[in-house]
Amino acid sequence: MNAATMTGQPVIALLGQPNSGKSTLFNGLTGARQRVGNWPGKTVEKKEGYYVRDGIRYRVTDLPGTYSLSANSEEEIITRDYIASGEADVVCILADASQLSRSLFMLADYTGIECPAILLLNLVDVAEAQGKRIDAARLEDKLGIPVIPFVAADRKRYGAFFEAVDRALKEKKRIDIDSLIAKYHAIGDGIYENLLALMPEAGIGNYSAPWLATKLIEGDTAILDTVKNTVEAEAYRDVETILSSIQNGALHTSGCKFQWIDELLSEALVQKQGKPLLSRFDRLATHRRWGKPLAVLIILLGLVASFIPATPIMVLGGMIPRLGGPIAEVLSSIGVSRILIDLINQVVLNTLYFAVAMIGFVLGVNLVFGFLEEVGYMARVSYIFDGTMARLGLQGKSVMPLVVSFGCTIGGAAGTRVIDSWGQRVLTIALAWVVPCAATWAIVPVISSLFFGAWAPLVIVAIFLVAGLHMLITARIFGSKLIRQEDRAGLIMELPPYHKPRWKALLRSILVRTWDILARALRVIFLVSFVFWLLTYSTSGNPDASLLYRFGRAIEPVTIVFGLTWQTFLAYFASMVSKEAALGVLGSLYLGAGSLFTATVGSGGKVAVGLESVLLASLTAPAALAFIFAVTFNAPCLMAITSTYQETRSLKWTLRILGYYVSTSLILAFLVYRIANLFM
Amino acid sequence: MITLDKVGTGRKVVVSEIEGDQRFLSRITSIGLTIGCELEVLHNENKFPLLFYGRDTVVALNREESKNVFVEVVE
Ligand SMILES: Nc1nc2c(ncn2[C@@H]2O[C@H](COP(=O)(O)OP(=O)(O)OP(=O)(O)O)[C@@H](O)[C@H]2O)c(=O)[nH]1
């Protein structure tokens, strides 16, 4: 019995190769009615949601984007297991109509699975702009399942989708497999026929016998195990004998699949021979000499452009703390205790401010780079930087997150989504933490010019040199654990055709994603802020009555080893919450006034009046340098930590990265302090 | 028969053999590269991945991997 009959809620699974538009459709269908989690026991994101039509609730599961239904990656295994589980009532297969021949591979690979399906020819708008015409009725006729020309980015066209889903639920049609089987029969000397004869006639679960036989030829070990556990020992021995005579089976079966696709399309696809394969812009974008400078220029402009949508949000967020006065008045007039008012004022308002200000920038970065991705340019950047990234054990797709991290590490972490191997994704995030983000430049120049005057630019050069070295070493350390031999695969990537952006769909996706980051981060930020507030709470209003102050003083003998006074150590500590905080905290500690808490999460980044002379009097130049390095190479900020968890889907690795950065930044401070002491 | 990384920019080729483990074969065929399929090489520059067009798609393939793809030049 399947899910629909049990709960009355049909389940639709979205299946498609990366870039086929699954996320766009998922967001378009479910909007805010979605839940993101992990697939049980895996580090892969699971997205579920629902939509309601005619009083019926349709549950939607977004399967991980994969290229096929083999079992070579965690994503593929999850996808396959899910389909085998019979949880879905309809599988909705998305194909990219603008690259239809290649994109139908998923459909061919799915054929033979006993679950009703529909085929969405997504991105027909792009296909039509290329001068392609697709005869969906003809395809439907040949495949035997509903086939719909579709634009996932346009919700006005969803009517046909809803109708097709209902039709599939009612008619429960499978893809017509006979013409594909006929192709498989041509493999070897009756190899396919013989294997097929050994399979259980009714298949195994949702896998039909013809599908199982194909996967066996492909050398799929997981399916081989399934078959071993189902068929008689004797039959299994025969299976093994047949398989031993095949080499490179996947080549043969894929050949058959594409022949089948070509035949399907020969009558259904009309294509005007049009534009050159590489446009003039593409020639420049992929040029061996000009490609890189062009990419750097566009990305830099992108970072600057991120501030345009970010600024109004940041300004708006900046107004939140001002509500504090009025709220406090109202609350105290109704007799709320002082400490509670303090709590609301400081923790709630300030963390809200902090989160909104940060999210403004995250939104800006996501919007600009989402746009570059959407029009197709990002794939070109990946191509042009592939060789450079290979030196770090990464592939071209990692370049974008690393560059975005110059603006904001959170945006960088979110950008790793396009990387298809989990290990490379985590490694990219781990390296993105090294890249000094925009907030670094609110602190480093101030302190270095204070202590080193005209020599300050040298400090910045040193930071870049150390950052480069740091990356090389970090890539080694993390790479050896994260990138297994089989993950070492180099770049295999399709470059999507350029197309006009679909603003509405783009905005919708970005808003959903940003909201997701904000919602998760807020919880953690509130919690951490609350603890921090308790630690910094002081009855007298001055820092020296707080727990943190006492803690700081107590551990000074230890921190001084790293060249950090207890004040700079606490500022370093606070910079893990927000980098901008470092200066504010220094201010309230050295000047002994103002709330430590507000200095950390409140409007940070300002230099308190009089701080400069106090700093000059209390810190030596080597200690200042140690502090600069400690803060620069510390964990970027709290929200970067939560979004690292969100993207890696692994608490273990998030904590590892965090621990690594705390220790390496202290080691760096130690080294810088000792070396500087020799010269200064 | 030569390997794909030796094919000059602008040439058209037909794939005659692909080598590699099951994982590689499955990945490379799923992006449209199979025996008998026709490709046009768009860029072949030292130190950059190969860029070619085949089956409706522009594909970038790492140089190392493209040594596993054997082709006949047709044009
Ligand atoms: N013009 C147009 N663009 C679309 C359509 N559907 C999706 N897109 C765009 O195509 C790109 C890929 O869509 P996604 O929804 O991210 O694709 P996906 O299958 O989820 O890809 P992964 O997230 O990599 O798994 C995005 O830039 C979309 O905005 C469409 O029907 N028409």
Side-chain angles (χ1 to χ4, degrees):
Chain A
M1 192 165 26
N2 59 22
T5 28
M6 256 155 46
T7 61
Q9 297 184 356
V11 177
I12 305 164
L14 307 183
L15 175 71
Q17 293 192 338
N19 277 319
S20 56
K22 273 180 330 90
S23 313
T24 309
L25 175 60
F26 182 78
N27 288 331
L29 287 174
T30 63
R33 296 173 300 265
Q34 51 174 270
R35 215 180 50 220
V36 185
N38 274 23
W39 289 89
K42 307 273 181 167
T43 50
V44 178
E45 183 179 77
K46 178 177 192 178
K47 291 204 297 190
E48 289 179 303
Y50 67 88
Y51 65 89
V52 179
R53 264 188 89 250
D54 299 332
I56 300 176
R57 186 189 270 224
Y58 295 78
R59 295 201 282 143
V60 188
T61 303
D62 191 9
L63 295 172
T66 59
Y67 283 92
S68 67
L69 291 177
S70 41
N72 294 322
S73 69
E74 208 158 49
E75 281 85 354
E76 287 175 348
I77 293 170
I78 288 169
T79 303
R80 217 162 74 172
D81 287 351
Y82 181 85
I83 289 170
S85 74
E87 234 172 280
D89 298 294
V90 180
V91 172
C92 171
I93 304 169
L94 285 97
D96 177 349
S98 69
Q99 309 180 328
L100 197 54
S101 156
R102 191 206 83 232
S103 187
L104 281 179
F105 188 78
M106 185 58 102
L107 177 94
D109 213 21
Y110 182 85
T111 302
I113 287 181
E114 295 289 346
C115 178
I118 63 176
L119 173 64
L120 295 185
L121 304 172
N122 194 29
L123 293 123
V124 278
D125 52 338
V126 179
E128 277 162 12
Q130 291 172 339
K132 290 179 184 157
R133 295 184 58 88
I134 304 162
D135 188 344
R138 183 134 212 161
L139 280 179
E140 174 154 348
D141 198 42
K142 287 192 161 189
L143 291 171
I145 57 164
V147 177
I148 307 148
F150 197 64
V151 180
D154 182 1
R155 280 163 100 179
K156 285 194 228 63
R157 297 180 67 144
Y158 281 20
F161 168 80
F162 296 136
E163 187 266 338
V165 166
D166 287 341
R167 197 143 53 91
L169 282 170
K170 203 164 82 215
E171 297 170 359
K172 299 199 187 311
K173 286 212 190 119
R174 324 287 201 253
I175 302 168
D176 190 349
I177 194 175
D178 293 344
S179 49
L180 182 56
I181 292 181
K183 299 265 177 273
Y184 290 143
H185 276 308
I187 300 174
D189 303 313
I191 282 178
Y192 186 75
E193 252 171 312
N194 295 340
L195 270 179
L196 191 54
L198 292 167
M199 296 296 107
E201 206 172 325
I204 304 174
N206 261 352
Y207 301 143
S208 71
W211 190 87
L212 290 168
T214 316
K215 286 293 157 194
L216 288 182
I217 292 180
E218 286 168 16
D220 191 316
T221 47
I223 293 298
L224 188 62
D225 274 347
T226 310
V227 168
K228 185 179 182 177
N229 294 333
T230 315
V231 300
E232 307 277 324
E234 198 182 331
Y236 182 70
R237 263 199 307 280
D238 290 346
V239 167
E240 280 189 316
T241 322
I242 298 176
L243 290 183
S244 65
S245 69
I246 315 172
Q247 267 182 340
N248 294 350
L251 267 186
H252 300 296
T253 59
S254 299
C256 296
K257 286 170 196 165
F258 275 115
Q259 273 175 27
W260 179 72
I261 291 170
D262 289 343
E263 258 177 48
L264 271 177
L265 292 182
S266 65
E267 292 162 49
L269 176 70
V270 187
Q271 188 163 3
K272 273 192 295 201
Q273 199 49 45
K275 295 178 214 150
L277 298 174
L278 283 186
S279 64
R280 184 136 17 111
F281 178 75
D282 238 353
R283 276 178 207 289
L284 193 62
T286 57
H287 192 278
R288 51 189 285 264
R289 204 162 313 124
W290 302 115
K292 282 183 190 173
L294 180 72
V296 170
L297 185 73
I298 290 183
I299 289 170
L300 283 180
L301 286 178
L303 282 177
V304 174
S306 308
F307 279 101
I308 299 170
T311 311
I313 298 175
M314 289 173 161
V315 170
L316 211 70
M319 289 196 243
I320 294 177
R322 287 200 215 149
L323 295 174
I327 290 181
E329 249 172 60
V330 173
L331 289 181
S332 65
S333 72
I334 54 172
V336 178
S337 77
R338 178 88 218 127
I339 183 158
L340 204 63
I341 295 178
D342 230 40
L343 182 71
I344 292 175
N345 248 339
Q346 302 222 2
V347 177
V348 179
L349 292 185
N350 273 322
T351 42
L352 265 182
Y353 156 73
F354 170 67
V356 170
M358 279 225 172
I359 213 69
F361 197 59
V362 175
L363 187 75
V365 166
N366 272 337
L367 208 60
V368 169
F369 290 92
F371 170 81
L372 289 179
E373 169 99 50
E374 158 100 17
V375 296
Y377 180 61
M378 273 310 168
R380 276 72 183 173
V381 178
S382 305
Y383 162 78
I384 206 81
F385 279 104
D386 188 58
T388 318
M389 288 293 110
R391 281 183 222 161
L392 295 172
L394 295 169
Q395 42 156 291
K397 290 181 184 175
S398 303
V399 71
M400 194 274 277
L402 291 183
V403 179
V404 170
S405 299
F406 276 109
C408 174
T409 317
I410 306 161
T416 57
R417 221 159 252 225
V418 294
I419 302 169
D420 33 27
S421 119
W422 178 83
Q424 294 209 346
R425 199 150 61 221
V426 180
L427 180 56
T428 308
I429 297 179
L431 291 177
W433 281 35
V434 181
V435 178
C437 73
T440 315
W441 309 118
I443 313 162
V444 171
V446 176
I447 300 185
S448 36
S449 60
L450 183 63
F451 281 87
F452 307 104
W455 297 98
L458 266 189
V459 176
I460 294 174
V461 171
I463 284 181
F464 274 107
L465 288 179
V466 171
L469 207 64
H470 195 319
M471 277 197 150
L472 287 176
I473 297 171
T474 307
R476 278 282 172 84
I477 295 176
F478 279 84
S480 64
K481 296 218 185 60
L482 281 168
I483 317 273
R484 287 164 300 154
Q485 197 55 40
E486 59 263 34
D487 279 341
R488 269 176 214 279
L491 186 75
I492 305 181
M493 175 184 71
E494 76 274 19
L495 272 61
Y498 287 111
H499 57 84
K500 274 196 285 211
R502 287 273 180 171
W503 287 106
K504 255 198 193 155
L506 178 65
L507 261 174
R508 198 180 307 126
S509 300
I510 302 279
L511 285 178
V512 166
R513 193 189 300 173
T514 312
W515 173 248
D516 207 40
I517 294 179
L518 182 65
R520 270 156 196 277
L522 265 183
R523 263 175 271 160
V524 181
I525 292 172
F526 266 117
L527 196 73
V528 173
S529 294
F530 181 67
V531 172
F532 208 70
W533 177 80
L534 283 181
L535 289 177
T536 54
Y537 187 77
S538 104
T539 40
S540 69
N542 284 337
D544 51 12
S546 70
L547 276 174
L548 197 63
Y549 177 91
R550 272 179 253 164
F551 169 71
R553 301 228 58 159
I555 61 164
E556 185 159 36
V558 181
T559 63
I560 206 71
V561 176
F562 302 100
L564 298 173
T565 64
W566 69 268
Q567 293 98 330
T568 50
F569 178 76
L570 287 187
Y572 159 82
F573 189 71
S575 74
M576 253 184 276
V577 178
S578 134
K579 215 155 241 183
E580 298 93 320
L583 275 182
V585 170
L586 275 187
S588 54
L589 288 177
Y590 273 114
L591 301 173
S595 144
L596 261 186
F597 182 78
T598 324
T600 306
V601 295
S603 21
K606 291 194 200 85
V607 187
V609 190
L611 177 61
E612 301 196 342
S613 47
V614 183
L615 278 184
L616 277 177
S618 14
L619 287 182
T620 62
L625 207 55
F627 175 67
I628 290 174
F629 275 82
V631 169
T632 305
F633 294 103
N634 196 2
C637 68
L638 195 53
M639 227 189 249
I641 301 171
T642 57
S643 51
T644 295
Y645 171 66
Q646 206 165 339
E647 296 305 326
T648 59
R649 320 297 310 172
S650 160
L651 188 61
K652 186 176 100 184
W653 277 98
T654 309
L655 292 179
R656 271 191 190 175
I657 296 175
L658 177 60
Y660 174 79
Y661 274 85
V662 172
S663 21
T664 46
S665 57
L666 287 176
I667 293 173
L668 267 175
F670 174 83
L671 291 176
V672 166
Y673 183 63
R674 299 288 142 178
I675 296 172
N677 261 325
L678 297 179
F679 297 102
M680 291 181 197
Chain B
M1 200 161 74
I2 52 172
T3 52
L4 191 56
D5 62 304
K6 305 260 168 24
V7 180
T9 300
R11 288 300 173 95
K12 283 190 182 156
V13 298
V14 170
V15 177
S16 45
E17 181 61 33
I18 306 175
E19 283 180 356
D21 58 2
Q22 187 256 344
R23 168 183 286 265
F24 174 70
L25 290 181
S26 147
R27 179 79 178 83
I28 191 99
T29 54
S30 72
I31 207 160
L33 232 71
T34 49
I35 289 170
C37 93
E38 195 176 305
L39 309 175
E40 180 176 342
V41 176
L42 302 175
H43 266 314
N44 184 356
E45 310 270 7
N46 216 349
K47 296 211 185 118
F48 286 91
L50 243 85
L51 204 63
F52 57 83
Y53 181 84
R55 237 181 257 289
D56 270 357
T57 311
V58 178
V59 176
L61 178 65
N62 194 286
R63 294 201 81 77
E64 231 12 77
E65 264 84 21
S66 57
K67 288 182 186 149
N68 292 332
V69 180
F70 295 85
V71 297
E72 300 287 353
V73 178
V74 290
E75 183 187 318

